[in-house]
Amino acid sequence: MKFRDRVDAAQRLAKNLEGIQNEDPVILAVPRGGVVTGDVIAKTFGLQLDIVVSRKIGSPYNPELAIGAVMHDGSFFPNSDLINSLGVTQDYIDEQIAEQLQEIKRRLTKFRGRLDYDLKNKTVVVVDDGIATGATVFATLGWIKKQNPKRIIIAIPVGPRDTVEKLRQVAEVVVLHEPVIFGAVGEFYDSFDQVEDSQVVEIMRSYGHHKNMK
């Protein structure tokens, strides 16, 4: 399965979310690409769009290999097996968390104008344009669960089967394509252009997220 672009993927994904508007859910998109996907879904059902930001902590030997991920409140969700097998020090982890927290707060301030959330007793739909290792999604899920929501749904066009199966153990998952062989999310799109900060800001402003935006 291949998608023309993020809009095409989101339109197909929305068909699998029919009826969700009856729960008045919070749509939480993952910047940057997931905001385009989330925008289409939110507009399809006449819902509000919000964002959530988590950042992976890369291995000291391979920045692309996630040894965990951190949320805006400093919550760190480690891949303990990797950390132990690679002998990663706590000092390195603390340093990386501090660095990523700065980027998280920059994005949240720029894109939504504030850092607080109210998810208690609500249905939360986390939307992205696809997942690979799932490190940041698992961190996002762990943080959302601490907010005591009523229901959590992960909605993605594509993700590797092994990662999707792990996600299903901790949340409801709506996915259109879960290939066994998986390289990168962009492989499953004809057009997978970089989404710029300015595009995210424009989308978020259309939902009223403009206070304190810079």
Side-chain angles (χ1 to χ4, degrees), residues 46-126:
L47 299 168
Q48 282 294 304
L49 179 69
D50 203 345
I51 64 167
V52 63
V53 180
S54 60
R55 297 281 291 178
K56 74 177 178 184
I57 304 296
S59 155
Y61 318 106
N62 177 5
E64 292 304 308
L65 180 62
I67 60 170
V70 63
M71 297 298 298
H72 66 279
D73 63 352
S75 302
F76 177 60
F77 297 84
N79 182 330
S80 300
D81 291 342
L82 260 183
I83 290 170
N84 293 332
S85 66
L86 294 173
V88 182
T89 66
Q90 190 59 48
D91 283 347
Y92 172 83
I93 293 171
D94 291 343
E95 180 184 302
Q96 292 300 306
I97 286 174
E99 187 177 308
Q100 294 303 329
L101 274 175
Q102 287 186 335
E103 175 61 15
I104 289 172
K105 288 177 180 176
R106 181 195 75 80
R107 289 190 178 202
L108 286 176
T109 301
K110 185 169 189 175
F111 298 155
R112 71 193 293 269
R114 65 188 198 282
L115 302 177
D116 61 303
Y117 291 84
D118 178 18
L119 305 179
K120 189 173 182 179
N121 297 324
K122 294 183 178 177
T123 293
V124 180
V125 183
V126 180

Side-chain angles (χ1 to χ4, degrees), residues 4-214:
R4 286 194 305 276
D5 52 22
R6 290 181 180 90
V7 171
D8 173 46
Q11 288 171 339
R12 296 198 219 177
L13 197 55
K15 290 177 182 175
N16 287 263
L17 291 167
E18 283 290 349
I20 194 68
Q21 67 272 25
N22 299 328
E23 297 188 33
D24 192 25
V26 176
I27 307 292
L28 283 183
V30 179
R32 299 183 184 96
V35 176
V36 176
T37 313
D39 179 40
V40 172
I41 290 171
K43 283 189 167 62
T44 297
F45 299 114
L47 299 168
Q48 282 294 304
L49 179 69
D50 203 345
I51 64 167
V52 63
V53 180
S54 60
R55 297 281 291 178
K56 74 177 178 184
I57 304 296
S59 155
Y61 318 106
N62 177 5
E64 292 304 308
L65 180 62
I67 60 170
V70 63
M71 297 298 298
H72 66 279
D73 63 352
S75 302
F76 177 60
F77 297 84
N79 182 330
S80 300
D81 291 342
L82 260 183
I83 290 170
N84 293 332
S85 66
L86 294 173
V88 182
T89 66
Q90 190 59 48
D91 283 347
Y92 172 83
I93 293 171
D94 291 343
E95 180 184 302
Q96 292 300 306
I97 286 174
E99 187 177 308
Q100 294 303 329
L101 274 175
Q102 287 186 335
E103 175 61 15
I104 289 172
K105 288 177 180 176
R106 181 195 75 80
R107 289 190 178 202
L108 286 176
T109 301
K110 185 169 189 175
F111 298 155
R112 71 193 293 269
R114 65 188 198 282
L115 302 177
D116 61 303
Y117 291 84
D118 178 18
L119 305 179
K120 189 173 182 179
N121 297 324
K122 294 183 178 177
T123 293
V124 180
V125 183
V126 180
V127 180
D128 205 349
D129 54 11
I131 59 169
T133 65
T136 54
V137 176
F138 283 109
T140 300
L141 277 173
W143 171 77
I144 290 173
K145 287 189 172 184
K146 292 197 295 183
Q147 314 308 308
N148 297 312
K150 180 176 70 175
R151 183 184 180 194
I152 307 173
I153 301 169
I154 306 292
I156 49 171
V158 62
R161 182 166 300 170
D162 57 345
T163 303
V164 170
E165 286 174 354
K166 289 175 187 173
L167 280 174
R168 285 197 175 105
Q169 294 172 19
V170 291
E172 295 177 55
V173 180
V174 175
V175 58
L176 301 178
H177 186 37
E178 41 186 304
V180 174
I181 299 171
F182 191 100
V185 173
E187 293 176 3
F188 300 93
Y189 286 83
D190 292 327
S191 173
F192 197 67
D193 296 337
Q194 174 79 28
V195 177
E196 302 297 334
D197 277 7
S198 57
Q199 188 177 350
V200 176
V201 169
E202 186 179 343
I203 289 172
M204 297 308 291
R205 278 184 173 153
S206 72
Y207 293 91
H209 295 278
H210 60 276
K211 293 180 181 178
N212 303 320
M213 276 189 170
K214 296 176 182 178

